[in-house]
Amino acid sequence: MQNIDLQYPTNNLEKLFIEKSVESLYQNTIDSYRLRLHNPKTLIEELITVTQSSINGILTNNDYVNYTSKELKKILNDNNDELKFIKINKKHYTGILERAERKNYKLIIQSSKLILKDNQEYCSNIFEKIKLITGSNSNFFDEEGNFIESQKKVFDNLKKDLIVLVDYLYIELLSKGFTKQYLYKTFQSIFIYNINTPTFSDKMAVFKSIIDKVDENFTVIFLINDNSFQFLELKKIDNSYNLIDKKYRRINKTKISDEVYNFLEKNKEKILISINFKSKDYFKAIQLGINKLSKDLDIYHLGYNNKHFKIDAQCATIGEKEPLKASISPSNFQIDGYFKSDSDVFADLLQKITTIKTKNIDPESFDKILSAIRYYRTGSESPELETKLLNYWIGLEFIFTSFNSDEKTIDRIRNYFPKCHSLIYVKRNLYDFHRSLRRLGLKPNITNYNDDLKYFIDHKSYNSINDNTNSELLKFRTAFFKKWHEEPNKIEDVLKKHQDNLIWNITRLYRIRNEIVHNAAIKNGIHTHIAHLKYYLSFTLNSILNFMSDVNVDVNNDGKVSIDDYFITQEIILGALKGEKLEKFLEIDNPNEIFQ
């Protein structure tokens, strides 16, 4: 949650839209509030793909269709999907989803396609619904500007719908070819920094014109820092590649930005390769470029395999419409999430590993931990998306595999990981909220503000937050966490939803892993999946290191403290928390998360 200072008037709902948009699109937002993976429409599209792949024999496990159907049914039952059900009503469609057996696969595909056909304007419909909601703010205030208390429930539900629709809009824009980086920068430029459009309505009109734009031609220029590279051989693979030479620099000197021209001049003695793409934005053009060049370098390497040629970390993009705005950008893929990387992190982890060596730890478990750490490193270092995902998955499998159990590794992951993460979910989210309060300057207004978070079990704290902030998103989240304090059963509902989401996503990741391994699939657009998987592995490693360095409880009586002891202990503690009040959840020790 960021501190946003708007220099133009907005109503409560307009401000909520702006604040939630920035939160959802920001790369380092905690995963609980970052942009979700799917909206209802993209989930229907995924269901069609998965089901068709199962019919074709590419996917052989019925779990994939079954779990995707369950996830879709849940999202539709929330009744804020904004889908139009014309040829098929929602009740009939959710009934089909309940019967996700192989004999009904064609029924699932055809009914899903009919719904998609009726929702080709889904993006525009969501945008218009958001405009309708943000424009309805005055309906909840009287002529003197006082809030109408009798409308509170309706107003609160409207804010919940708006929060959901914000994510649905951006997910849809990603599916249309935009990138999160571009949307984040563009949104900030329009709604926060631009002073030329004085009203929210004007800014929405500008934003709509941008998200409705047609694809633009971009030239992407990559740098290879090795003059032994044979460009003409690459051109034999695809003739659309061009070499940036002296003539190109001379012709384009006054047409492109100084930044890009200086980049070309600085690297004129090296190999500069250009290729053209049509895309929604320049970040997308880079993604398309790196995908293509990487694949062609794979072919090139077959013949010239005595040397590995790396694509430089920076590249240039030149748009056909505004070449003077050409820029230098990272050529690698953006993986969401905040990374901690410093001497304190190293010292903490080293101390735990050193401590574990002196304890009665199961040797097999310790070897698994070291193997998982290695795959965490190789996944982080790999430039290819598929290799990143496979390395993180292998690391996770090392942790969850048991040679003393008949249970499949994927079933152990789906069984234990959601429980382990649910145990810290409440405190993790409250701690993120706690840091937001400090960042937004509310620390002095809260009695007993402290890292132990105990002020969250004081009713007055929530009132103090609400009375001293102008942030609509902060007020919304304050009301949400206040419910955890006042109605502990809400925590159980949240954890059930969280565990379901994790089970569905783990199954999705397992499917992608199998498509890569068994079908030699080259998967694009898996940045978010990789971010999820990296976090899952990082969290599991840190949690186990905490457990083994602090605790010596041989839960399963096998004579050694093992990874299975960790899993069993987490399951027991989570079960004991069922029905407990918020203060009990605050007593749980969170692992030192280096990635979130």
Side-chain angles (χ1 to χ4, degrees), residues 305-497:
N305 53 30
N306 61 331
K307 188 180 286 188
H308 176 62
F309 295 97
K310 286 187 177 181
I311 302 168
D312 192 77
Q314 288 190 313
C315 65
T317 49
I318 305 168
E320 184 180 64
K321 293 180 180 178
E322 296 180 289
L324 286 172
K325 290 186 178 180
S327 61
I328 304 300
S329 303
S331 61
N332 56 347
F333 297 99
Q334 175 183 295
I335 304 299
D336 286 345
Y338 171 69
F339 303 80
K340 291 182 184 177
S341 178
D342 54 40
S343 59
D344 291 338
V345 171
F346 174 75
D348 178 65
L349 293 175
L350 182 60
Q351 182 270 325
K352 287 173 182 173
I353 292 172
T354 304
T355 301
I356 288 172
K357 289 179 179 178
T358 66
K359 295 199 171 188
N360 189 34
I361 303 300
D362 171 49
E364 182 183 301
S365 292
F366 188 65
D367 287 344
K368 285 182 178 181
I369 292 170
L370 295 180
S371 295
I373 290 172
R374 167 170 290 185
Y375 282 100
Y376 180 83
R377 175 182 63 81
T378 54
S380 299
E381 291 177 350
S382 174
E384 291 86 13
L385 292 179
E386 298 89 354
T387 312
K388 281 183 179 293
L389 188 139
L390 289 179
N391 275 276
Y392 292 142
W393 183 268
I394 292 169
L396 203 64
E397 280 195 339
F398 265 109
I399 294 294
F400 284 89
T401 297
S402 174
F403 301 113
N404 300 318
S405 172
D406 293 332
E407 193 176 16
K408 294 179 181 178
T409 301
I410 177 60
D411 292 329
R412 284 174 60 83
I413 298 174
R414 284 190 294 218
N415 178 28
Y416 286 117
F417 181 83
K419 292 172 182 173
C420 294
H421 197 263
S422 292
L423 183 59
I424 60 96
Y425 185 75
V426 170
K427 189 171 182 179
R428 180 175 187 256
N429 281 279
L430 282 174
Y431 189 73
D432 179 73
F433 184 61
H434 165 77
R435 291 192 302 174
S436 294
L437 296 174
R438 181 170 56 233
R439 191 164 53 248
L440 297 178
L442 272 79
K443 179 180 176 179
N445 304 109
I446 303 169
T447 304
N448 298 321
Y449 178 95
N450 192 282
D451 285 350
D452 63 13
L453 308 184
K454 289 183 179 179
Y455 66 93
F456 284 125
I457 58 177
D458 183 353
H459 190 84
K460 296 176 184 176
S461 297
Y462 300 95
N463 294 335
S464 296
I465 297 167
N466 209 54
D467 294 341
N468 289 282
T469 184
N470 293 318
S471 169
E472 292 300 322
L473 183 58
L474 189 65
K475 290 178 181 178
F476 177 85
R477 206 140 286 149
T478 301
F480 180 78
F481 290 134
K482 187 179 180 182
K483 289 284 187 183
W484 286 6
H485 172 54
E486 294 176 340
E487 304 174 48
N489 62 299
K490 296 290 184 184
I491 297 177
E492 194 172 331
D493 295 340
V494 167
L495 293 183
K496 173 63 169 65
K497 181 179 179 180

Side-chain angles (χ1 to χ4, degrees), residues 25-53:
L25 295 172
Y26 180 49
Q27 177 186 2
N28 290 340
T29 296
I30 189 172
D31 60 342
S32 298
Y33 307 122
R34 276 201 308 267
L35 196 62
R36 318 304 290 182
L37 187 59
H38 280 298
N39 64 31
K41 178 173 170 284
T42 61
L43 197 51
I44 291 175
E45 290 167 346
E46 182 177 79
L47 178 61
I48 292 173
T49 301
V50 171
T51 309
Q52 189 62 59
S53 293

Side-chain angles (χ1 to χ4, degrees), residues 138-175:
S138 60
N139 298 339
F140 301 93
F141 295 83
D142 60 25
E143 294 179 356
E144 284 75 37
N146 299 312
F147 183 72
I148 303 171
E149 287 297 330
S150 61
Q151 293 293 305
K152 186 177 186 308
K153 186 174 182 181
V154 177
F155 191 61
D156 288 346
N157 287 334
L158 208 58
K159 287 191 285 187
K160 290 178 185 177
D161 287 345
L162 180 58
I163 290 286
V164 171
L165 291 176
V166 165
D167 269 9
Y168 286 179
L169 173 65
Y170 296 123
I171 293 166
E172 194 61 20
L173 290 174
L174 294 189
S175 75

Side-chain angles (χ1 to χ4, degrees), residues 576-588:
L577 285 172
K578 189 171 183 179
E580 290 289 352
K581 294 181 179 180
L582 180 60
E583 48 260 49
K584 285 294 183 181
F585 285 87
L586 296 181
E587 294 174 4
I588 299 299

